Amino acid sequence: QVQLVESGGGLVQAGGSLRLSCAASGSIFSINSMGWYRQAPGKQRELVATITNSGSTNYGDFVKGRFTISRDNAKNTVYLQMNSLKPEDTAVYYCNAAVRKDIRSAYVLYWGQGTQLTVSS
């Protein structure tokens, strides 16, 4: 089994910064893409950012240079540095990872349990 554990959420004032972390553990042979999504109350889950194992990144349109995704492949960990936070960034942030358990297995997408970010105005 594979577990993803997020950390770093909390309460921050508008204009502030925060870094989220997500560590994958368990039966891991390799990880392809890792990413962050978010879901605000009453809204659908949306893409924040993804990063491949080679470092290629993709961001949601709303990010506009405020967030940076990175990963440490040796630690199976993905990070999300968030700057210039706005009240509309308030949401539960989820990480995911496409994990292969052995060389013969297909990649399976796993999700973390989510971490709450609240940005006060």
Side-chain angles (χ1 to χ4, degrees):
Q1 193 56 280
V2 174
Q3 298 82 37
L4 299 182
V5 178
E6 298 112 333
S7 61
L11 175 64
V12 63
Q13 288 188 332
S17 298
L18 207 65
R19 188 177 83 154
L20 303 181
S21 300
C22 173
S25 63
S27 301
I28 299 171
F29 175 74
S30 65
I31 300 177
N32 190 352
S33 65
M34 303 184 81
W36 290 95
Y37 288 72
R38 71 183 190 183
Q39 188 167 19
K43 295 187 177 181
Q44 290 188 330
R45 190 172 297 190
E46 63 179 346
L47 167 72
V48 178
T50 60
I51 184 168
T52 67
N53 56 8
S54 61
S56 297
T57 59
N58 182 45
Y59 292 93
D61 291 341
F62 65 88
V63 170
K64 298 187 187 301
R66 298 182 299 128
F67 299 175
T68 302
I69 190 171
S70 61
R71 64 189 280 175
D72 184 333
N73 291 330
K75 296 181 179 180
N76 292 331
T77 299
V78 62
Y79 305 96
L80 184 67
Q81 177 66 44
M82 302 181 289
N83 300 325
S84 303
L85 285 165
K86 306 174 182 179
E88 50 264 45
D89 293 319
T90 296
V92 178
Y93 284 71
Y94 299 90
C95 70
N96 70 11
V99 178
R100 190 166 57 166
K101 294 185 177 182
D102 56 59
I103 197 169
R104 293 168 294 181
S105 300
Y107 284 100
V108 176
L109 190 65
Y110 292 89
W111 290 86
Q113 80 288 350
T115 185
Q116 175 71 46
L117 169 65
T118 302
V119 183
S120 63
S121 58

